[in-house]
Structure formats: C-alpha cells, structure tokens
Amino acid sequence: MSTEEKEILEGRQGEVLESVQNADATTSKKLYIESYGCQMNFSDSEVVASIMSENGFSTTRDVDEADVVLINTCSIRDNAEKRVRNRLTEFKKKKADNPEMVVGILGCMAERLKKSLLEQEKLVDLVAGPDAYRDLPNLIDEVGTGQKAVNVLLSRDETYADISPVRLDKGGISAFVTIMRGCDNMCSFCVVPFTRGRERSRDPETIVQECQDLFSKGYREVTLLGQNVDSFRWNITNKGEIKNKELPTVNFAQLLIMVAKVSPDLRVRFSTSHPKDMTDEVLHAMASFENICNYIHLPVQAGHSAVLKRMNRGYTREWYLERIEAIHKIIPDCAVSTDIISGFCAETDEEHEDTLSLMDIVAFDFAYMFKYSERPKTLAERKFEDDVPEAVKSKRLTEIIEKQLSYSLASNKERIGKTEKVLIEGISKRSEEHMSGRTGRNSMVVFPKGNFKKGDYINVKILDCTSATLLGEAVEH
Ligand code: 5AD
Ligand code: SF4
C-alpha cells in the first residue's frame, strides 16, 4: 500500500494538521492558527479567525512572527491528542525565546485537559472550549494581566450564526458551512457529546446567506457540516413539536433544497449522516437537484448488531443495509463512504467477520478506518472493558483496510471509459502540468491542465485509475 493510500484510508479525522494564512496582513497583531481533527474544527478555526480579525489580528503562516498561537485540538482518539501534545512542546521551546507570545488551545481537548495543560505542565497560557470563541479577545487580555485565561463553558444555543467566517484555505472554490453544533447521540465510544455539548441547529436564513455570499465570491461548492446533519431542525423541538406556530419549520431535507436553490452552479455536499436518522425525504431531495452531489458519508462503525448495540448506535445491521438499498433505489449512481472501528469492547472474531461481510455486501466506495481507542468519560469507558488486545485490533484493522482498498480500486475501475463532470480545484499536488478536481461522487480526478482554471466545471473522460485517484482527459461532452 502506498503512503498516500495509507494516509487516506487510515483517516483524516483526528490526524490532519494544517496551518493557515489570511492574505490581509495590514493590521499589526498576528495570529497563527493550526487545526487538527474533523472538518468541523477547520470550520471553527475560520470563525475564530473572524472574531480575532474584528479585534485587530491578521493571520500568518509563520509561527515565528505570531503574537498569538492557537491550536484547535481534537480528542476523538488518543493518537490525535498525542500529536497536539508534541506540537505544544515545540511551541513551549519557541516561547522560551519569545516570552510575549501567547499560546492557547481551542476545541475538544480544552475541557478535559485544561488543568493539566495550563497549571501542571504549563504548556499553554489560554484555554477556550468550542462554545467560548467570542470570549477569545478577553481571554488574551487576561493572559496579558497574568491571569489564568480559561473558558470551557458549553452552551445550549451558541451557533456563531451571525459570524461571517474568514476563509483560511487558499483555494477559494470549496468551503465548509457549519449548520449545527454538538451531538445528542451518545454513541458509547465517542467523546464528542462531552467536548462539544448539546446539539443545536443554526438559523437556516443565515446558512443560506452565507452560501449566497460564498457563491458571489467565486466559491462553487459548499459542504454543510454537523455531527449528525439529519437531525437538523429549526423551530422544532427535539420531541417534534413546533416552537413558534407563526414561523416556518425547516428540517434537513428542506435546508438542502434551500441551499441547492442558491445556484445550479453551486455544488452542495454534507457530512455527517447518521444511519438511524437518514430519511427518504433527504434522498429524494438529493435526487431532485443535480447540484446536490451524489455522495453520502454514512458511518456504519461495525457490521454486527450486537456490537452496534454496545456502541449505542440506535440501528441494526439489517436497518443499515435497508438504508443502503434505499440510497441506491432513490439515487442511482450514488457513492457511499463509511467509518469503521476495529476491536471495540468485547468484539469477537465472528463479530469482526460480520464487519467484513457487510463490507462485501455494501462495497463502499471509500472508508475511514480506525482502531478503537478508549476515551475518558464515554459510556464505553464506564460500562465496558477495552479488552480486545492491541495486536488483535491491528490485525482486524489491516483486514478491513485491505478489503476496502480492493473495493475502492474496483469502484474507481468502474469509472474507466465514463465521462465525469468535474469541478476544478486547482493545480494537481503532484504535477504542475496537471489540474485536479472532484466528481459529484467525491472522487479526485487528475487531468492535463490545458487552458482550464479552478472553479470551472469540465467533462473528463476517465482513462485510468489508482485506488485513490481517477486519471483522465478533458472532453467536450
Ligand atoms: N475510537 C476509534 N474511533 C473513533 N471514532 C470516534 N470515536 C472513536 C474512538 N473512541 C471514529 C468513528 C467516527 C469517526 C469520526 O471517528 O468512526 O465516525
Ligand atoms: Fe460521536 Fe455518535 Fe455523535 Fe458521531 S453521532 S459525534 S459518533 S456521538
């Protein structure tokens, strides 16, 4: 397996690192911000950059010229936390040369590790949880006056709806738009409900406005983000009652349509769907709009109903397979990807075999695959023993990855000879002579650059592939 394939398949979430820059550098104070983990963290960093820019900070890519260094952290697995700790140790060395520099952590590690990082290990000056970003300017002032700057309060209603994020990626074609925050699901392995708090949806008008604004600035793709987008609801209580009868209600299928109507040239994606909540109404909305991409990320986690029960996922193997059938029936040619965890508490060989057999039935186009990593406070930590030996977890993960690689390759091979509509994202990372972009099904396509420019839609005839990429050339139709 190539390193690229390994990186792709072993999971972006929890292990992605990126530093960012905002071109507007006219102000004097400089912010360096680095994000780890899921897309939601990357999106949050853009909200943070916006709050900070209102307070006179421009972003820099060079940590050495930064007045404030913020690390947006991830707690989803232990190795994600380890990487952040290593990085903080590096910043501590830099701080020895530049004691004025303020170092802070944001995001999911904030609540759990505030005491140890701030007081015991003294790795950071400031800690701000996911709902405390409006307070950052105050917290930075507090550091200046020698106080312990901490705000990890979780909110029931903060959605940062009114904040217009500063876009930190340089591509300018594809943007993340957060539509809801937190999660109420309590999957037993997952730390997110503890780090990000209760689920709340953002005002749909502000979502549509943000998408319109992005389109007018040249963006051609939005990804609507939430831990569980299917439970997006506006003006509806979690019991299904209407809050204010004078106002309209909006569910996720309706929101998708509102965003799709911004322009037929704006591609709409979303993540993450939950198998227990994904409705046919959403699938019909996808089928009715050409610009809602034929791609669903539907984490299965495990293929055996008893494991799913221990995971508190709220569905069975049969339910999941029925949802897959519904996808293929309602949206022909829809790509499906998933997340899989190997070696969850008490997982037997037979249960693991059922994950493999489910993979054979579904033939996922793509998957993120992980070894189970016990997280503090979670239901699994309290109720079950993390008793699958590390070697067994690894062996099972290897089997899962190998199977997925063969299905990813098969899925890509099927596209050879077909013509795909591609949204160009820019010059290919591997060759100056090529450009790359994605199909609606979310496959990366590389093709000779010709006279095309990013943001163009073109038709590409697929000529060859690897398990990660399609290779082709532009054609008229
Ligand atoms: N151990 C391993 N993987 C996990 N995930 C979430 N929590 C854990 C954990 N404790 C995976 C799930 C989820 C994805 C974002 O990360 O597969 O869908
Ligand atoms: Fe975690 Fe489950 Fe919520 Fe996803 S749906 S964030 S896995 S608790």
Side-chain angles (χ1 to χ4, degrees):
M1 190 188 310
S2 74
T3 328
E4 181 204 29
E5 283 167 343
K6 233 173 148 15
E7 270 170 20
I8 290 170
L9 285 159
E10 284 190 346
R12 285 193 319 219
Q13 314 200 36
E15 282 121 60
V16 179
L17 156 71
E18 193 164 280
S19 58
V20 286
Q21 182 181 38
N22 169 10
D24 173 23
T26 48
T27 42
S28 57
K29 289 181 286 179
K30 295 263 189 288
L31 164 70
Y32 174 89
I33 183 162
E34 211 169 85
S35 306
Y36 292 77
C38 62
Q39 294 164 339
M40 187 75 85
N41 261 9
F42 284 76
S43 175
D44 278 3
S45 292
E46 300 188 326
V47 167
V48 168
S50 173
I51 291 166
M52 295 291 282
S53 86
E54 293 286 305
N55 286 273
F57 282 85
S58 62
T59 49
T60 172
R61 207 166 246 234
D62 179 4
V63 63
D64 291 318
E65 65 168 26
D67 302 286
V68 174
V69 172
L70 296 176
I71 315 294
N72 201 347
T73 63
C74 171
S75 285
I76 200 122
R77 283 170 292 277
D78 187 47
N79 54 1
E81 282 195 1
K82 283 201 178 113
R83 275 188 78 183
V84 169
R85 276 181 176 282
N86 289 342
R87 199 69 181 125
L88 288 174
T89 316
E90 284 170 33
F91 290 131
K92 192 170 182 177
K93 287 186 199 131
K94 285 197 187 296
K95 215 174 140 72
D97 298 331
N98 179 7
E100 294 295 300
M101 184 170 92
V102 173
V103 178
I105 60 160
L106 314 175
C108 289
M109 282 168 71
E111 158 59 27
R112 200 167 77 71
L113 296 170
K114 58 179 190 288
K115 245 194 150 61
S116 77
L117 293 178
L118 200 64
E119 291 171 24
Q120 290 149 10
E121 299 165 75
K122 297 200 177 2
L123 280 174
V124 299
D125 309 300
L126 174 161
V127 177
D131 292 339
Y133 299 149
R134 289 182 202 268
D135 198 25
L136 273 169
N138 297 330
L139 292 170
I140 289 167
D141 288 346
E142 283 176 17
V143 175
T145 59
Q147 301 170 62
K148 277 186 210 110
V150 190
N151 185 343
V152 291
L153 290 178
L154 290 171
S155 156
R156 278 183 171 260
D157 47 27
E158 177 63 275
T159 58
Y160 301 110
D162 55 315
I163 291 181
S164 164
V166 168
R167 301 293 161 187
L168 294 167
D169 77 293
K170 308 272 279 314
I173 299 301
S174 183
F176 297 128
V177 175
T178 297
I179 63 164
M180 57 204 296
R181 302 182 70 80
C183 184
D184 282 352
N185 279 321
M186 289 297 197
C187 299
S188 64
F189 51 80
C190 185
V191 80
V192 166
F194 304 95
T195 61
R196 289 190 161 268
R198 301 304 298 267
E199 181 184 289
R200 63 223 103 120
S201 297
R202 175 177 169 191
D203 181 344
E205 290 299 327
T206 69
I207 297 170
V208 172
Q209 241 167 39
E210 189 175 325
C211 295
Q212 275 164 345
D213 185 49
L214 284 162
F215 186 73
S216 70
K217 290 185 172 134
Y219 283 80
R220 291 294 172 264
E221 182 174 274
V222 290
T223 303
L224 308 181
L225 288 182
Q227 305 294 346
N228 178 4
V229 289
D230 303 283
S231 59
F232 177 90
R233 56 175 168 259
W234 185 250
N235 195 22
I236 313 172
T237 66
N238 54 9
K239 293 197 182 85
E241 290 147 7
I242 299 177
K243 285 187 191 162
N244 179 346
K245 295 219 163 57
E246 323 249 294
L247 296 174
T249 60
V250 182
N251 67 17
F252 181 57
Q254 292 160 331
L255 177 73
L256 263 182
I257 292 174
M258 287 162 73
V259 175
K261 284 183 175 165
V262 167
S263 165
D265 284 335
L266 183 70
R267 272 188 174 174
V268 185
R269 299 185 185 278
F270 54 89
S271 188
T272 297
S273 303
H274 197 302
K276 81 176 162 55
D277 297 323
M278 192 191 63
T279 59
D280 286 357
E281 192 188 350
V282 166
L283 301 178
H284 286 296
M286 293 174 72
S288 335
F289 284 82
E290 222 252 333
N291 57 327
I292 306 180
C293 291
N294 284 357
Y295 170 64
I296 300 182
H297 182 60
L298 196 68
V300 66
Q301 314 295 4
H304 192 287
S305 297
V307 182
L308 292 168
K309 191 156 194 337
R310 292 200 292 281
M311 288 178 163
N312 199 28
R313 288 288 287 174
Y315 56 86
T316 59
R317 172 187 174 96
E318 291 68 33
W319 173 277
Y320 186 89
L321 290 174
E322 188 282 326
R323 290 289 75 206
I324 294 287
E325 269 182 32
I327 292 173
H328 293 313
K329 202 165 111 211
I330 298 171
I331 319 168
D333 207 29
C334 186
V336 181
S337 64
T338 201
D339 292 345
I340 299 176
I341 297 177
S342 81
F344 185 64
C345 309
E347 186 187 65
T348 63
D349 280 336
E350 290 72 33
E351 288 169 342
H352 164 64
E353 286 299 324
D354 267 355
T355 294
L356 297 174
S357 76
L358 181 132
M359 293 174 76
D360 285 329
I361 297 171
V362 180
F364 294 108
D365 298 279
F366 188 82
Y368 299 102
M369 294 154 282
F370 314 101
K371 267 191 277 189
Y372 173 57
S373 160
E374 186 178 80
R375 308 310 294 137
K377 278 202 197 170
T378 55
L379 288 180
E381 189 231 17
R382 287 182 274 147
K383 262 173 71 178
F384 306 122
E385 213 179 312
D386 179 12
D387 55 359
V388 176
E390 193 56 28
V392 176
K393 282 185 188 169
S394 296
K395 179 171 163 284
R396 289 180 186 168
L397 181 64
T398 306
E399 287 171 15
I400 290 168
I401 289 176
E402 274 169 10
K403 189 172 279 293
Q404 185 51 44
L405 270 180
S406 69
Y407 281 111
S408 294
L409 183 62
S411 156
N412 277 352
K413 276 193 175 152
E414 247 182 52
R415 311 316 286 184
I416 294 177
K418 295 197 164 84
T419 297
E420 305 273 348
K421 184 173 172 186
V422 172
L423 171 61
I424 305 179
E425 290 176 9
I427 297 290
S428 156
K429 278 191 188 139
R430 308 229 153 155
S431 149
E432 283 286 312
E433 296 309 309
H434 290 78
M435 296 195 97
S436 64
R438 281 178 192 274
T439 66
R441 290 167 46 91
N442 207 33
S443 298
M444 182 59 80
V445 184
V446 173
F447 50 92
K449 73 176 178 195
N451 290 321
F452 304 112
K453 57 181 195 314
K454 67 181 185 183
D456 286 349
Y457 285 102
I458 59 161
N459 290 317
V460 177
K461 179 153 191 201
I462 306 304
L463 304 172
D464 201 357
C465 71
T466 67
S467 64
T469 313
L470 301 174
L471 310 162
E473 65 188 17
V475 291
E476 289 286 308
H477 298 290

PDB file of all heavy atoms in Angstrom, residues 13 76-77 189-190 299 301 339 341 370-373 375, ligand 1:
ATOM      1  N   GLN A  13      -9.759  12.292   9.849  1.00  0.00           N
ATOM      2  CA  GLN A  13     -10.309  12.889  11.045  1.00  0.00           C
ATOM      3  C   GLN A  13      -9.431  12.528  12.225  1.00  0.00           C
ATOM      4  O   GLN A  13      -9.125  11.395  12.437  1.00  0.00           O
ATOM      5  CB  GLN A  13     -11.715  12.373  11.254  1.00  0.00           C
ATOM      6  CG  GLN A  13     -12.468  12.430   9.969  1.00  0.00           C
ATOM      7  CD  GLN A  13     -13.948  12.404  10.193  1.00  0.00           C
ATOM      8  OE1 GLN A  13     -14.441  12.961  11.147  1.00  0.00           O
ATOM      9  NE2 GLN A  13     -14.649  11.770   9.317  1.00  0.00           N
ATOM     10  N   ILE A  76     -10.709  12.890  19.573  1.00  0.00           N
ATOM     11  CA  ILE A  76     -11.519  11.736  19.178  1.00  0.00           C
ATOM     12  C   ILE A  76     -10.808  10.411  19.422  1.00  0.00           C
ATOM     13  O   ILE A  76     -11.423   9.435  19.811  1.00  0.00           O
ATOM     14  CB  ILE A  76     -12.033  11.885  17.740  1.00  0.00           C
ATOM     15  CG1 ILE A  76     -13.240  10.983  17.504  1.00  0.00           C
ATOM     16  CG2 ILE A  76     -10.987  11.628  16.695  1.00  0.00           C
ATOM     17  CD1 ILE A  76     -14.458  11.692  17.077  1.00  0.00           C
ATOM     18  N   ARG A  77      -9.487  10.399  19.199  1.00  0.00           N
ATOM     19  CA  ARG A  77      -8.700   9.212  19.535  1.00  0.00           C
ATOM     20  C   ARG A  77      -7.436   9.658  20.257  1.00  0.00           C
ATOM     21  O   ARG A  77      -7.004  10.801  20.110  1.00  0.00           O
ATOM     22  CB  ARG A  77      -8.314   8.423  18.264  1.00  0.00           C
ATOM     23  CG  ARG A  77      -9.457   7.599  17.702  1.00  0.00           C
ATOM     24  CD  ARG A  77      -9.121   7.057  16.342  1.00  0.00           C
ATOM     25  NE  ARG A  77      -9.038   8.133  15.376  1.00  0.00           N
ATOM     26  CZ  ARG A  77     -10.079   8.676  14.755  1.00  0.00           C
ATOM     27  NH1 ARG A  77     -11.290   8.222  14.959  1.00  0.00           N
ATOM     28  NH2 ARG A  77      -9.913   9.671  13.919  1.00  0.00           N
ATOM     29  N   PHE A 189     -18.688   4.960  22.257  1.00  0.00           N
ATOM     30  CA  PHE A 189     -17.241   5.132  22.096  1.00  0.00           C
ATOM     31  C   PHE A 189     -16.822   6.595  21.981  1.00  0.00           C
ATOM     32  O   PHE A 189     -15.646   6.906  21.992  1.00  0.00           O
ATOM     33  CB  PHE A 189     -16.753   4.395  20.829  1.00  0.00           C
ATOM     34  CG  PHE A 189     -17.545   4.741  19.593  1.00  0.00           C
ATOM     35  CD1 PHE A 189     -17.302   5.910  18.893  1.00  0.00           C
ATOM     36  CD2 PHE A 189     -18.548   3.887  19.143  1.00  0.00           C
ATOM     37  CE1 PHE A 189     -18.050   6.238  17.777  1.00  0.00           C
ATOM     38  CE2 PHE A 189     -19.304   4.202  18.023  1.00  0.00           C
ATOM     39  CZ  PHE A 189     -19.051   5.382  17.335  1.00  0.00           C
ATOM     40  N   CYS A 190     -17.793   7.497  21.876  1.00  0.00           N
ATOM     41  CA  CYS A 190     -17.481   8.826  21.337  1.00  0.00           C
ATOM     42  C   CYS A 190     -17.434   9.921  22.400  1.00  0.00           C
ATOM     43  O   CYS A 190     -18.334  10.061  23.230  1.00  0.00           O
ATOM     44  CB  CYS A 190     -18.512   9.191  20.284  1.00  0.00           C
ATOM     45  SG  CYS A 190     -18.109  10.734  19.472  1.00  0.00           S
ATOM     46  N   PRO A 299     -21.527   6.579   8.272  1.00  0.00           N
ATOM     47  CA  PRO A 299     -20.693   5.713   9.124  1.00  0.00           C
ATOM     48  C   PRO A 299     -21.467   4.511   9.650  1.00  0.00           C
ATOM     49  O   PRO A 299     -22.523   4.681  10.256  1.00  0.00           O
ATOM     50  CB  PRO A 299     -20.277   6.639  10.271  1.00  0.00           C
ATOM     51  CG  PRO A 299     -20.374   8.015   9.701  1.00  0.00           C
ATOM     52  CD  PRO A 299     -21.551   7.966   8.764  1.00  0.00           C
ATOM     53  N   GLN A 301     -19.691   1.887  11.403  1.00  0.00           N
ATOM     54  CA  GLN A 301     -18.885   1.591  12.616  1.00  0.00           C
ATOM     55  C   GLN A 301     -18.632   0.102  12.814  1.00  0.00           C
ATOM     56  O   GLN A 301     -17.508  -0.282  13.126  1.00  0.00           O
ATOM     57  CB  GLN A 301     -19.501   2.175  13.898  1.00  0.00           C
ATOM     58  CG  GLN A 301     -19.970   3.623  13.817  1.00  0.00           C
ATOM     59  CD  GLN A 301     -18.874   4.642  13.597  1.00  0.00           C
ATOM     60  OE1 GLN A 301     -17.712   4.300  13.425  1.00  0.00           O
ATOM     61  NE2 GLN A 301     -19.219   5.924  13.548  1.00  0.00           N
ATOM     62  N   ASP A 339     -17.378   5.026   8.028  1.00  0.00           N
ATOM     63  CA  ASP A 339     -16.345   4.926   9.068  1.00  0.00           C
ATOM     64  C   ASP A 339     -16.491   3.555   9.712  1.00  0.00           C
ATOM     65  O   ASP A 339     -17.622   3.107   9.952  1.00  0.00           O
ATOM     66  CB  ASP A 339     -16.575   5.958  10.186  1.00  0.00           C
ATOM     67  CG  ASP A 339     -16.356   7.396   9.750  1.00  0.00           C
ATOM     68  OD1 ASP A 339     -15.756   7.620   8.683  1.00  0.00           O
ATOM     69  OD2 ASP A 339     -16.791   8.301  10.492  1.00  0.00           O
ATOM     70  N   ILE A 341     -14.830   1.034  12.929  1.00  0.00           N
ATOM     71  CA  ILE A 341     -13.934   0.903  14.091  1.00  0.00           C
ATOM     72  C   ILE A 341     -13.628  -0.578  14.298  1.00  0.00           C
ATOM     73  O   ILE A 341     -14.552  -1.396  14.347  1.00  0.00           O
ATOM     74  CB  ILE A 341     -14.607   1.468  15.364  1.00  0.00           C
ATOM     75  CG1 ILE A 341     -14.879   2.967  15.194  1.00  0.00           C
ATOM     76  CG2 ILE A 341     -13.735   1.208  16.588  1.00  0.00           C
ATOM     77  CD1 ILE A 341     -15.608   3.604  16.375  1.00  0.00           C
ATOM     78  N   PHE A 370     -10.506   2.885  11.701  1.00  0.00           N
ATOM     79  CA  PHE A 370      -9.781   3.205  12.925  1.00  0.00           C
ATOM     80  C   PHE A 370      -9.753   2.003  13.853  1.00  0.00           C
ATOM     81  O   PHE A 370     -10.660   1.184  13.854  1.00  0.00           O
ATOM     82  CB  PHE A 370     -10.493   4.332  13.688  1.00  0.00           C
ATOM     83  CG  PHE A 370     -10.914   5.483  12.822  1.00  0.00           C
ATOM     84  CD1 PHE A 370     -12.242   5.594  12.399  1.00  0.00           C
ATOM     85  CD2 PHE A 370     -10.006   6.439  12.419  1.00  0.00           C
ATOM     86  CE1 PHE A 370     -12.646   6.663  11.614  1.00  0.00           C
ATOM     87  CE2 PHE A 370     -10.403   7.509  11.627  1.00  0.00           C
ATOM     88  CZ  PHE A 370     -11.719   7.622  11.220  1.00  0.00           C
ATOM     89  N   LYS A 371      -8.704   1.989  14.708  1.00  0.00           N
ATOM     90  CA  LYS A 371      -8.702   1.050  15.839  1.00  0.00           C
ATOM     91  C   LYS A 371      -9.449   1.707  16.983  1.00  0.00           C
ATOM     92  O   LYS A 371      -9.308   2.921  17.192  1.00  0.00           O
ATOM     93  CB  LYS A 371      -7.257   0.830  16.312  1.00  0.00           C
ATOM     94  CG  LYS A 371      -6.584  -0.332  15.680  1.00  0.00           C
ATOM     95  CD  LYS A 371      -5.278  -0.641  16.373  1.00  0.00           C
ATOM     96  CE  LYS A 371      -4.169   0.246  15.867  1.00  0.00           C
ATOM     97  NZ  LYS A 371      -2.853  -0.120  16.334  1.00  0.00           N
ATOM     98  N   TYR A 372     -10.205   0.932  17.738  1.00  0.00           N
ATOM     99  CA  TYR A 372     -10.912   1.522  18.874  1.00  0.00           C
ATOM    100  C   TYR A 372      -9.905   2.106  19.870  1.00  0.00           C
ATOM    101  O   TYR A 372      -8.907   1.480  20.210  1.00  0.00           O
ATOM    102  CB  TYR A 372     -11.779   0.462  19.571  1.00  0.00           C
ATOM    103  CG  TYR A 372     -12.391   1.005  20.842  1.00  0.00           C
ATOM    104  CD1 TYR A 372     -13.185   2.140  20.826  1.00  0.00           C
ATOM    105  CD2 TYR A 372     -12.129   0.396  22.078  1.00  0.00           C
ATOM    106  CE1 TYR A 372     -13.728   2.668  21.997  1.00  0.00           C
ATOM    107  CE2 TYR A 372     -12.667   0.912  23.254  1.00  0.00           C
ATOM    108  CZ  TYR A 372     -13.459   2.051  23.195  1.00  0.00           C
ATOM    109  OH  TYR A 372     -13.969   2.573  24.354  1.00  0.00           O
ATOM    110  N   SER A 373     -10.191   3.311  20.321  1.00  0.00           N
ATOM    111  CA  SER A 373      -9.339   3.988  21.292  1.00  0.00           C
ATOM    112  C   SER A 373     -10.243   4.463  22.436  1.00  0.00           C
ATOM    113  O   SER A 373     -11.141   5.273  22.220  1.00  0.00           O
ATOM    114  CB  SER A 373      -8.668   5.166  20.557  1.00  0.00           C
ATOM    115  OG  SER A 373      -8.193   6.140  21.428  1.00  0.00           O
ATOM    116  N   ARG A 375     -11.926   6.390  25.280  1.00  0.00           N
ATOM    117  CA  ARG A 375     -11.894   7.807  25.641  1.00  0.00           C
ATOM    118  C   ARG A 375     -12.515   8.029  27.008  1.00  0.00           C
ATOM    119  O   ARG A 375     -13.563   7.435  27.331  1.00  0.00           O
ATOM    120  CB  ARG A 375     -12.646   8.657  24.603  1.00  0.00           C
ATOM    121  CG  ARG A 375     -12.252   8.452  23.175  1.00  0.00           C
ATOM    122  CD  ARG A 375     -10.755   8.509  22.913  1.00  0.00           C
ATOM    123  NE  ARG A 375     -10.146   9.802  23.130  1.00  0.00           N
ATOM    124  CZ  ARG A 375      -8.984  10.007  23.754  1.00  0.00           C
ATOM    125  NH1 ARG A 375      -8.301   8.994  24.223  1.00  0.00           N
ATOM    126  NH2 ARG A 375      -8.497  11.206  23.883  1.00  0.00           N
TER     127      ARG A 375
HETATM  128  N1  5AD B   1     -12.001   5.166  18.818  1.00  0.00           N
HETATM  129  C1  5AD B   1     -11.848   4.972  17.482  1.00  0.00           C
HETATM  130  N2  5AD B   1     -12.540   5.631  16.555  1.00  0.00           N
HETATM  131  C2  5AD B   1     -13.443   6.530  16.975  1.00  0.00           C
HETATM  132  N3  5AD B   1     -14.281   7.327  16.298  1.00  0.00           N
HETATM  133  C3  5AD B   1     -14.977   8.076  17.176  1.00  0.00           C
HETATM  134  N4  5AD B   1     -14.602   7.768  18.431  1.00  0.00           N
HETATM  135  C4  5AD B   1     -13.660   6.804  18.328  1.00  0.00           C
HETATM  136  C5  5AD B   1     -12.905   6.076  19.273  1.00  0.00           C
HETATM  137  N5  5AD B   1     -13.057   6.253  20.578  1.00  0.00           N
HETATM  138  C6  5AD B   1     -14.419   7.317  14.834  1.00  0.00           C
HETATM  139  C7  5AD B   1     -15.824   6.922  14.413  1.00  0.00           C
HETATM  140  C8  5AD B   1     -16.415   8.220  13.959  1.00  0.00           C
HETATM  141  C9  5AD B   1     -15.206   8.939  13.420  1.00  0.00           C
HETATM  142  C10 5AD B   1     -15.348  10.405  13.297  1.00  0.00           C
HETATM  143  O1  5AD B   1     -14.188   8.622  14.342  1.00  0.00           O
HETATM  144  O2  5AD B   1     -15.711   6.014  13.335  1.00  0.00           O
HETATM  145  O3  5AD B   1     -17.421   8.052  12.980  1.00  0.00           O
END
